[in-house]
């Protein structure tokens, strides 16, 4: 399978095919009428459950399974989710076997032309948005540290940065686009990524203690 090639100026970056950094909630699609699949039997998109491309090889699928199973495991104090954990296990128990996956892929193709999701299902969840904000903050912190330790350096390679944070191609492109649009990040002449002056100011502002607001009392004389 060919990997997408992203070109930053004169540097060619070949991102790895990885699952997203922040795993959004999966969706369950119900088979439309008239395609031979009863509407009362919901079709579960196992690839969407595991947050992988349908063409991903078994190694990628297994990595995604282990990652998500660890996050949603019932014993995890902060991110336990029994329903999602069960869905991840169910998806893996099908996709890990070539014969089962082949049969599932036939059903998957029948649902590939499923109508677009309703608008309310297309909305980004609060967890995903907060995860994006946290990752963008961490990217800036990483670039801040790199700039501070080597002020005259050539920045950080985009591929190395993506590998460090484990972002998918689309997620990484989104974060780079956002941080560049805000003026916090720039692409150097060497094709690497570096924090800007605005980015440094933003990082410093994030670490400044919040000053409590003081009520202004009316001290004008009475009478």
């Amino acid at each position: 399978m060919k990997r997408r090639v992203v070109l930053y100026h004169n540097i060619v970056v070949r991102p790895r095919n990885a699952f997203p950094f922040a795993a959004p909630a999966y969706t369950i699609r119900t088979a439309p009428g008239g395609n031979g699949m009863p509407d009362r039997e919901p079709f579960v998109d196992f690839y969407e459950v595991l947050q992988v491309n349908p063409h991903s090889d078994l190694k990628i699928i297994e990595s995604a399974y282990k990652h998500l199973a660890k996050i949603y495991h019932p014993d995890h104090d902060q991110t336990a989710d029994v329903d999602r954990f069960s869905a991840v296990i169910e998806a893996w128990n099908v996709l890990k076997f070539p014969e089962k996956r082949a049969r599932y892929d036939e059903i998957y193709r029948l649902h590939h032309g499923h109508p677009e999701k309703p608008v309310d299902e297309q909305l980004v969840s609060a967890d995903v948005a907060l995860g994006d904000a946290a990752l963008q903050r961490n990217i800036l912190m990483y670039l801040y540290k790199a700039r501070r330790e080597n002020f005259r350096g050539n920045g950080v390679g985009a591929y190395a940065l993506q590998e460090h944070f484990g972002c998918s191609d689309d997620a990484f492109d989104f974060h780079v686009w956002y941080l560049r649009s805000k003026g916090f990040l720039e692409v150097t002449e060497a094709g690497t990524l570096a924090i800007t002056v605005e980015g440094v100011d933003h990082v410093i502002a994030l670490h400044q203690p919040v000053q409590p607001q003081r009520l202004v009392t009316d001290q004008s004389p009475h009478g």
Side-chain angles (χ1 to χ4, degrees):
M1 181 179 64
K2 295 183 179 179
R3 294 183 178 180
R4 181 164 59 90
V5 176
V6 181
L7 181 64
Y8 289 95
H9 287 251
N10 60 334
I11 301 297
V12 177
V13 181
R14 293 178 175 84
R16 68 178 183 179
N17 184 11
F19 44 87
F21 182 83
Y26 66 90
T27 58
I28 296 178
R29 298 175 179 174
T30 303
N35 66 351
M37 300 290 293
D39 289 348
R40 58 185 175 82
E41 296 182 4
F43 168 73
V44 180
D45 190 334
F46 289 150
Y47 295 110
E48 194 167 354
V49 169
L50 295 179
Q51 302 299 321
V52 295
N53 188 288
H55 302 290
S56 298
D57 59 30
L58 185 60
K59 184 177 180 180
I60 294 296
I61 294 175
E62 183 177 7
S63 297
Y65 154 72
K66 291 180 178 179
H67 175 75
L68 295 175
K70 183 178 180 180
I71 291 177
Y72 298 132
H73 195 281
D75 292 339
H76 200 292
D77 293 336
Q78 298 180 347
T79 59
D81 191 315
V82 176
D83 291 337
R84 291 186 180 181
F85 178 77
S86 298
V88 167
I89 297 298
E90 181 184 6
W92 172 241
N93 285 337
V94 171
L95 299 182
K96 69 179 179 180
F97 297 107
E99 293 183 1
K100 287 186 177 181
R101 183 179 181 183
R103 291 196 297 269
Y104 174 81
D105 285 346
E106 293 179 2
I107 301 175
Y108 179 89
R109 284 189 288 270
L110 292 176
H111 293 77
H112 189 66
H114 191 278
E116 190 175 3
K117 298 177 183 178
V119 174
D120 59 342
E121 292 185 18
Q122 298 179 26
L123 300 178
V124 176
S125 69
D127 290 341
V128 172
L130 291 175
D132 285 343
L135 179 56
Q136 290 159 7
R137 182 172 62 251
N138 290 337
I139 289 174
L140 284 180
M141 287 293 298
Y142 187 92
L143 294 176
Y144 177 95
K145 184 174 184 292
R147 174 77 84 174
R148 193 175 188 279
E149 293 179 348
N150 187 6
F151 174 74
R152 300 186 184 279
N154 291 325
V156 178
Y159 178 64
L161 192 64
Q162 182 181 0
E163 285 283 306
H164 179 78
F165 288 101
C167 296
S168 66
D169 295 347
D170 291 338
F172 185 75
D173 290 346
F174 168 77
H175 296 311
V176 170
W177 163 80
Y178 174 81
L179 294 173
R180 289 186 67 188
S181 299
K182 294 289 288 186
F184 298 155
L185 179 153
E186 65 180 0
V187 179
T188 68
E189 293 181 358
T192 58
L193 302 176
I195 194 171
T196 62
V197 172
E198 291 82 0
V200 171
D201 290 341
H202 181 68
V203 170
I204 294 174
L206 289 174
H207 289 78
Q208 289 180 343
V210 178
Q211 298 294 335
Q213 295 183 350
R214 301 178 61 181
L215 296 177
V216 178
T217 58
D218 185 6
Q219 299 181 358
S220 59
H222 297 282

